[in-house]
Amino acid sequence: MKFLVMNGVNLNLTGKREKGVYGTATLDEINEKIALKQAIECLPEPEREIILLRYFKQLTQSEVGRVLGMTQVTVSRREQKALERLRAALG
C-alpha cells in the first residue's frame, strides 16, 4: 500500500477504503486529504498521470512507462518533480 507523508501525516494514496480509517478520521486528516487531492489536480497533466498511476493504481515505474510510452528514467524524474511540487503546495 502506498502512502505519502506530508506534514508528518501519512496519507493513503490508493483510494481504497480501509476499515476504520474514515470513521475515525479527524477534521485535520480530512482537510489534509482534500488539500492533497486539490494539489494533485493542479499538477501538470504528465506529472498528474504518473502520480495517479503510481500511487492510486500501484504500478511500478516501468509499468507506468509502458502505459505512457516513456522510459522508466523519465517516469522517475517526472515523479520526483511531481512529489516536490506536492510537498511545496502542501507546505
Side-chain angles (χ1 to χ4, degrees), residues 8-53:
V9 176
N10 289 330
L11 301 175
N12 179 347
L13 296 180
T14 63
K16 296 179 182 174
R17 290 185 176 259
E18 294 182 282
K19 185 176 182 181
V21 170
Y22 294 91
T24 61
T26 66
L27 185 56
D28 286 342
E29 290 170 330
I30 292 168
N31 287 334
E32 291 264 349
K33 289 183 180 192
I34 291 169
L36 176 60
K37 182 180 183 292
Q38 291 171 339
I40 290 170
E41 289 172 352
C42 290
L43 290 173
E45 188 170 343
E47 292 176 9
R48 184 173 57 247
E49 287 177 331
I50 289 169
I51 293 299
L52 294 176
L53 290 171

Side-chain angles (χ1 to χ4, degrees), residues 19-88:
K19 185 176 182 181
V21 170
Y22 294 91
T24 61
T26 66
L27 185 56
D28 286 342
E29 290 170 330
I30 292 168
N31 287 334
E32 291 264 349
K33 289 183 180 192
I34 291 169
L36 176 60
K37 182 180 183 292
Q38 291 171 339
I40 290 170
E41 289 172 352
C42 290
L43 290 173
E45 188 170 343
E47 292 176 9
R48 184 173 57 247
E49 287 177 331
I50 289 169
I51 293 299
L52 294 176
L53 290 171
R54 288 279 290 137
Y55 292 90
F56 288 87
K57 297 294 183 181
Q58 299 183 345
L59 300 182
T60 66
Q61 288 180 343
S62 296
E63 291 168 332
V64 171
R66 283 193 292 277
V67 169
L68 299 178
M70 59 183 69
T71 67
Q72 181 272 327
V73 172
T74 300
V75 170
S76 178
R77 288 181 182 152
R78 289 185 182 178
E79 179 182 355
Q80 288 305 312
K81 184 65 176 174
L83 292 174
E84 288 172 11
R85 288 180 197 266
L86 290 174
R87 287 184 188 103

